Amino acid sequence: MASQVVNLRVNERSREFLAAPGTSLLSSLRDTLGLTAAKRGCAQGGCGTCTVLLDGRAVMSCLVAVQTVDGASVRTLEGVARDGALDEVQSAFLEGFATQCGFCTPGMIMAAEALLDRNPDPTRDEVVEAISGNVCRCTGYGPIVDAILDAAARRAKA
């Protein structure tokens, strides 16, 4: 099977590139487009470090064959901040000490963004469910859940 031209809208910018058969969305983002916030963790969809928003939905980009999403919209952590200013989720993570080593942080933030986009006032249980596919080995989940709830409150005030 031959390589295929793939067109994506990545962080509100049109991108066109050649992808070999079976290339993952994660590999395309990192290796072809130079967007390295989504991390290569387990490569099996079990850790969440590669979470991005695909047409507004949180997905494990390591499991998505890029040719199957030709024409889609992708949002990565690089597309969250606006005009150099952190958004509410990023600020809440930073100020709430919800990071430690930082490896899981991009995936956690993207899962939080997807949740708050569809549910601006989630309960603690809904936050826990939304990040359940993301593994953190450092901070524990308390500060992360608190940061997401704080971000929801910040957005409600804005």
Side-chain angles (χ1 to χ4, degrees), residues 79-154:
V80 172
R82 297 283 179 225
D83 300 320
L86 300 179
D87 85 338
E88 299 88 355
V89 176
Q90 293 171 309
S91 295
F93 266 68
L94 180 65
E95 294 165 21
F97 303 100
T99 64
Q100 205 164 73
C101 83
F103 196 75
C104 73
T105 304
M108 288 287 189
I109 288 174
M110 296 314 294
E113 294 284 348
L115 169 66
L116 297 179
D117 286 350
R118 73 175 186 279
N119 179 1
D121 188 26
T123 65
R124 187 170 203 82
D125 287 343
E126 290 168 329
V127 171
V128 169
E129 182 179 337
I131 63 168
S132 65
N134 298 69
V135 177
C136 174
R137 297 175 195 256
C138 297
T139 64
Y141 295 91
I144 294 168
V145 172
D146 291 343
I148 296 168
L149 290 169
D150 180 32
R154 290 174 189 220

Side-chain angles (χ1 to χ4, degrees), residues 19-137:
T23 301
S24 70
L25 175 59
L26 175 63
S27 291
S28 295
L29 291 170
R30 290 183 62 81
D31 304 334
T32 304
L33 301 179
L35 299 171
T36 58
K39 303 298 181 221
R40 189 173 281 120
C42 70
Q44 298 175 345
C47 70
T49 62
C50 66
T51 303
V52 300
L53 303 188
L54 179 63
D55 291 332
R57 185 174 52 90
V59 300
M60 308 299 180
S61 61
C62 71
L63 297 178
V64 177
V66 73
Q67 286 112 338
T68 66
V69 295
D70 185 40
S73 176
V74 178
R75 188 170 170 214
T76 69
L77 184 64
E78 290 93 344
V80 172
R82 297 283 179 225
D83 300 320
L86 300 179
D87 85 338
E88 299 88 355
V89 176
Q90 293 171 309
S91 295
F93 266 68
L94 180 65
E95 294 165 21
F97 303 100
T99 64
Q100 205 164 73
C101 83
F103 196 75
C104 73
T105 304
M108 288 287 189
I109 288 174
M110 296 314 294
E113 294 284 348
L115 169 66
L116 297 179
D117 286 350
R118 73 175 186 279
N119 179 1
D121 188 26
T123 65
R124 187 170 203 82
D125 287 343
E126 290 168 329
V127 171
V128 169
E129 182 179 337
I131 63 168
S132 65
N134 298 69
V135 177
C136 174
R137 297 175 195 256

Side-chain angles (χ1 to χ4, degrees), residues 3-17:
S3 291
Q4 174 183 331
V5 174
V6 176
N7 291 284
L8 295 175
R9 185 142 185 88
V10 181
N11 298 329
E12 300 181 10
R13 188 169 155 219
S14 294
R15 303 299 296 262
E16 181 179 276
F17 55 92

